[in-house]
Amino acid sequence: MRCSYYDAAVCRSCTLIEQPYSVQLERKERHVRDLLPGGVDWLEPVASAESGFRNKAKMVVGGSLETPTLGILDRAGAGVDLQGCGLYPPELAGVFETLARFVGLAGLVPYDVPSRRGELKNVLVTRSPDDELMVRFVLRSQEAVARIRKHLPTLLAEEPRLRVVSVNLHPEHKATLEGDAEIVLTDEQTLRMRVNGIDLHLRPRSFFQTNTEVAAALYRRATAWVDQIAPRTLWDLYCGVGGFALHAAAPGREVVGIEVSDEAVASAQTTAAELGLTSTRFAAGDATAFALGSHDVPDAVVVNPPRRGIGAELAGWLESSGVRHVVYSSCNAESLARDLAAMPSLRPVRGQLLDMFPQTSHYEVVTLLERA
């Protein structure tokens, strides 16, 4: 993949872009194999499209009302426009110009980091497989919300693919993407992410993988392993919007999904109700606290933790629980290796690398653990 931004040293986020994609994939596979114990039956890696694979754009807003930039900030805090970034498919990038015009129309003064003045910090855009969009305006305060409401009909008319528009309030001056409060401005509250024939409902503050095609392959692989194990009871810890749990639901199987985000749980519950999955339930809570506080032990567990991994407490519980099988999906093979060392009775027997993040050193790996 060639990128004019990279060549001009404007953006260097794609750290592996100078390597042929086949080399990137080979080195990632070698990395994970070196980190994990031997004896794993490794399946062929799942490759991604080299460009245009992202379903989400996280655009920092800079510049001015007249000429806003959507992209990143340079070291001095000035906006760098990346609307032509090759990681975004044309269907997603096509909305950027409309949003840039809306910044001026609604008077959303870009937040200036050095002076700590202005209102609009970020614009977050998500595209569904059905080519529908969710847009979130991350603001410093509610000062501009009334203007966004006033001009929203114009935005919806110019971009009919928009289903969900919201404002996220992020008053603090800190290097984080969003705040805790969300104001949904449209009648529709969720974006439908159709994956493998299942409509996963995505609310504004819910997490979803950035590469839809590879995420679909990840869910298929995990489901195939779960079906081979055929557990009667299954926990999906760190379940998000329910991707693993909803795919693994089957007649006669009781599935419980646990996720700390109330919004994600509400999304998963909506899909479960639509599918009529009466034996699949979701609850909001901490995954480790749920496991340690439960009187029951399931036949199998799926874990999909953040980059830090599941940690010593949950790994210790899994080691001593008697659970026969664990499907561990990880976005950080180093924390996965640490967690595996903490539960030596659960040995990885199968594994697969899924390249969720081409042009970078990051990837997803899913492993099937079996009690020795």
Side-chain angles (χ1 to χ4, degrees), residues 1-6 11 14 17 48-56 59 81-93 96 358-359:
M1 179 178 132
R2 291 300 303 272
C3 174
S4 60
Y5 299 119
Y6 184 90
C11 174
C14 293
I17 196 171
S48 168
E50 297 182 40
S51 62
F53 58 84
R54 287 190 64 94
N55 58 33
K56 176 180 281 189
M59 312 295 273
D81 195 83
L82 298 180
Q83 293 187 45
C85 174
L87 299 184
Y88 306 123
E91 297 84 355
L92 179 57
F96 296 158
Q359 317 306 338

Side-chain angles (χ1 to χ4, degrees), residues 150-215:
K150 175 183 177 182
H151 296 287
L152 185 57
T154 300
L155 179 60
L156 296 175
E158 288 190 18
E159 184 45 82
R161 297 180 298 160
L162 274 174
R163 292 294 176 268
V164 182
V165 178
S166 70
V167 166
N168 178 270
L169 299 178
H170 188 8
E172 298 177 274
H173 181 82
K174 57 193 303 187
T176 52
L177 194 65
E178 60 188 74
D180 295 330
E182 197 86 21
I183 304 170
V184 180
L185 305 177
T186 49
D187 292 336
E188 293 193 40
Q189 304 282 307
T190 67
L191 182 69
R192 289 178 180 262
M193 302 294 289
R194 192 183 307 275
V195 181
N196 298 322
I198 297 176
D199 281 351
L200 301 175
H201 286 265
L202 188 62
R203 281 176 162 76
R205 299 188 67 242
S206 300
F207 169 79
F208 190 78
Q209 299 282 6
T210 60
N211 190 324
T212 305
E213 290 301 318
V214 178

Side-chain angles (χ1 to χ4, degrees), residues 81-350:
D81 195 83
L82 298 180
Q83 293 187 45
C85 174
L87 299 184
Y88 306 123
E91 297 84 355
L92 179 57
V95 75
F96 296 158
E97 186 176 346
T98 299
L99 293 173
R101 287 197 302 271
F102 188 75
V103 169
L105 177 65
L108 307 178
V109 178
Y111 183 67
D112 181 72
V113 172
S115 68
R116 303 192 180 189
R117 295 179 179 178
E119 278 295 318
L120 180 59
K121 294 184 173 182
N122 305 307
V123 172
L124 313 178
V125 188
T126 304
R127 175 179 174 263
S128 79
D130 294 328
D131 199 26
E132 297 179 336
L133 300 172
M134 174 165 61
V135 171
R136 303 170 64 204
F137 297 98
V138 181
L139 299 177
R140 187 183 184 189
S141 72
Q142 295 195 52
E143 183 270 333
V145 173
R147 294 197 301 279
I148 294 178
R149 289 186 187 275
K150 175 183 177 182
H151 296 287
L152 185 57
T154 300
L155 179 60
L156 296 175
E158 288 190 18
E159 184 45 82
R161 297 180 298 160
L162 274 174
R163 292 294 176 268
V164 182
V165 178
S166 70
V167 166
N168 178 270
L169 299 178
H170 188 8
E172 298 177 274
H173 181 82
K174 57 193 303 187
T176 52
L177 194 65
E178 60 188 74
D180 295 330
E182 197 86 21
I183 304 170
V184 180
L185 305 177
T186 49
D187 292 336
E188 293 193 40
Q189 304 282 307
T190 67
L191 182 69
R192 289 178 180 262
M193 302 294 289
R194 192 183 307 275
V195 181
N196 298 322
I198 297 176
D199 281 351
L200 301 175
H201 286 265
L202 188 62
R203 281 176 162 76
R205 299 188 67 242
S206 300
F207 169 79
F208 190 78
Q209 299 282 6
T210 60
N211 190 324
T212 305
E213 290 301 318
V214 178
L218 172 63
Y219 293 142
R220 291 194 300 269
R221 170 52 53 205
T223 301
W225 286 343
V226 169
D227 286 344
Q228 289 170 8
I229 299 165
R232 186 183 62 82
T233 55
L234 174 72
W235 288 357
D236 179 6
L237 305 181
Y238 310 93
C239 71
V241 296
F244 288 103
L246 293 163
H247 277 78
R253 182 176 298 159
E254 295 181 8
V255 181
V256 177
I258 302 297
E259 166 61 43
V260 70
S261 166
D262 291 326
E263 278 206 343
V265 168
S267 298
Q269 290 171 334
T270 298
T271 303
E274 288 181 348
L275 296 175
L277 300 176
T278 56
S279 295
T280 300
R281 66 180 182 88
F282 297 91
D286 177 77
T288 300
F290 173 81
L292 269 60
S294 178
H295 298 295
D296 301 318
V297 176
D299 297 329
V301 175
V302 176
V303 292
N304 182 32
R307 289 190 59 79
R308 65 178 180 272
I310 62 174
E313 276 193 288
L314 183 53
W317 182 88
L318 287 168
E319 169 69 12
S320 62
S321 67
V323 170
R324 297 297 306 169
H325 294 94
V326 176
V327 176
Y328 193 137
S329 180
S330 170
C331 61
N332 182 358
E334 294 183 2
S335 62
L336 168 61
R338 288 196 300 270
D339 290 337
L340 291 179
M343 41 186 184
S345 296
L346 288 162
R347 298 179 180 175
V349 292
R350 299 177 194 168

